[in-house]
């Protein structure tokens, strides 16, 4: 796609509920066609970004998120682990890089970071950054000052999810408000970090709640650069353990609608991938998902083995996306090299231009 055509494409932040509902109401084939069209206008359709996730502090979290194995109020048989030391995290990060991940995401089961833990987190982030990986962390609620300190330490992305619609939210979490989450997100944005923000579906919510979640994300002042779509992983001992399964096509619809509403965001096929067939995953990629967690473990639950993903990528002709920095460097080289741009390089330019 030419730059002129691309730049003419409007990025909207004024979606109405009716418009989003109308997307959900489309016949599946029409929705997939629209989502794939938008996807191709903005990305290499066969490139998927790989993030590896590491739980650096496990369990004993003071929040009461009813889906989560790590909450103190949920009676799950999880072994509590303190904050990992820097060298252990570095080893995992090196391994992730060796396996082809471009981003390393660190999760800590905190309501908000403890002062001592936070100091150590800053060191860990600076360390991981030296490996040439993009860095991401999810540490719970942040203050404005903490957001700035994380940015200074070299953190590229902060993950903090809205989880569901404002209306359904207090059926899932009571110890932190929706507004608390929005506040953390604006501290992250104002500090100059990229935002990773999405939600979970399949928690017994109505479709109007899925519409509400995607509408809220799409109408933020800036779209999150990364939008993780999690399908509930049912964990024994949590209040949501026996929730009825969501129709998998409804999950795929959510991905397609996210792609259409937030055309230049990376849409990440996140938790729940282990329960998806290869065919369902292929449909998620077709619907515009272009990022995954790569590696056999999420935080406390399993993810497909790296080999399995490599095999599926081979069967579907997908390839790992470079880091933004690599893509930008390549596009500069390509620009000086006879003025020809590959599609990937064009997209890298375009993405750089967006943010
Ligand atoms: N404590 C931090 C927080 O809540 O922001 C960071 C970690 S928390 C586990 C990150 C996100 O993982 C949650 O917001 C939720 O969207 C997702 N998540 C947690 N448990 C899940 C589950 N069982 N199924 C699907 N997604 C889950
Ligand atoms: C996100 O949205 N999903 C990831 C990441 N951000 C931190 C976490 C998924 C957790 C799945 C359940 C678990 O492994 O405990
Ligand atoms: Fe704590 Fe995050 Fe789990 Fe909620 S989702 S209980 S905040 S670790």
């Amino acid at each position: 796609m030419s730059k002129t055509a691309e730049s003419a494409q409007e990025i909207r932040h004024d979606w109405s509920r009716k418009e989003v509902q109308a997307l959900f109401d489309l016949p599946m084939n029409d929705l997939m066609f629209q989502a794939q069209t938008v996807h191709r206008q903005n990305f290499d359709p066969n490139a998927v970004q790989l993030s590896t996730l590491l739980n650096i502090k496990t369990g004993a979290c003071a929040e009461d998120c009813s889906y989560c194995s790590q909450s103190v109020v949920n009676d799950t048989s999880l072994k509590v682990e303190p904050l990992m030391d820097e060298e252990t995290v570095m080893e995992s990060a090196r391994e992730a890089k060796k396996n082809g991940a471009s981003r390393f995401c660190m999760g800590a089961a905190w309501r908000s970071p403890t002062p001592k833990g936070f100091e150590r987190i800053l060191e860990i982030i600076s360390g991981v950054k030296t490996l040439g990986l993009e860095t991401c962390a999810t540490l719970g609620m942040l203050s404005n000052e903490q957001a700035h300190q994380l940015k200074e330490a070299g953190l590229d992305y902060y993950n903090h999810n809205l989880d569901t619609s404002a209306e359904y939210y207090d059926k899932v979490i009571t110890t932190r408000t929706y507004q608390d989450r929005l506040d953390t997100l604006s501290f992250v944005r104002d500090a100059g970090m990229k935002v990773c923000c999405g939600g979970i579906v399949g928690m017994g919510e109505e479709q109007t709640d899925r519409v509400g979640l995607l509408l809220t994300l799409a109408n933020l002042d800036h779209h999150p650069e990364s939008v993780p779509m999690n399908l509930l992983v049912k964990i024994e001992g949590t209040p949501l353990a026996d929730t009825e399964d969501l129709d998998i096509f409804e999950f795929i619809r959510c991905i397609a609608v996210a792609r259409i509403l937030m055309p230049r965001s990376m849409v990440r096929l996140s938790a729940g991938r282990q329960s998806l067939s290869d065919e369902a995953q292929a449909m998620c990629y077709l619907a515009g998902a272009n990022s995954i967690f790569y590696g056999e473990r999420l935080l406390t639950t399993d993810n497909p083995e790296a080999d399995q993903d490599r095999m599926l990528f081979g069967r579907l002709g997908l390839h790992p996306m470079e880091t933004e920095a690599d893509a930008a460097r390549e596009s500069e080289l390509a620009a000086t090299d006879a003025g020809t741009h590959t599609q990937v390089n064009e997209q890298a330019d375009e993405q750089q231009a967006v943010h």
Side-chain angles (χ1 to χ4, degrees), residues 266-328:
M266 307 293 294
V267 176
R268 182 175 305 138
L269 179 52
S270 303
R273 212 154 58 78
Q274 179 78 330
S275 66
L276 260 53
S277 67
D278 287 347
E279 293 80 0
Q281 285 192 67
M283 279 190 81
C284 292
Y285 294 127
L286 195 61
N290 60 350
S291 170
I292 57 168
F293 284 118
Y294 179 64
E296 64 211 33
R297 200 86 181 135
L298 289 169
L299 294 173
T300 66
T301 64
D302 290 341
N303 197 39
E305 304 268 342
D307 277 356
Q308 245 176 289
D309 281 329
R310 275 194 284 268
M311 260 186 328
L312 185 59
F313 274 34
R315 288 166 70 204
L316 299 178
L318 299 175
H319 58 85
M321 192 182 288
E322 305 152 280
T323 63
E324 250 182 85
D326 287 344

Side-chain angles (χ1 to χ4, degrees), residues 61 63-65 67-68 70-71 108-110 176:
C61 178
E63 301 274 3
D64 68 352
C65 310
Y67 48 78
C68 186
Q70 306 200 74
S71 161
W110 275 323
R176 176 196 313 182

Side-chain angles (χ1 to χ4, degrees), residues 54 78 162 213 234 354:
L54 178 69
L78 187 71
L162 290 178
L213 166 68
K234 296 178 202 170
V354 180

Side-chain angles (χ1 to χ4, degrees), residues 23 48 69 104 125 137 140 150 162 165 196 203 221 228 230-231 256 269 278-279 282 285 319 352:
L23 289 171
V48 177
S69 59
F104 191 65
I125 289 167
L150 288 170
L162 290 178
S165 66
C196 172
M203 297 193 292
D221 290 344
N230 297 282
L231 177 63
L269 179 52
D278 287 347
E279 293 80 0
Y285 294 127
H319 58 85
Q352 293 288 313

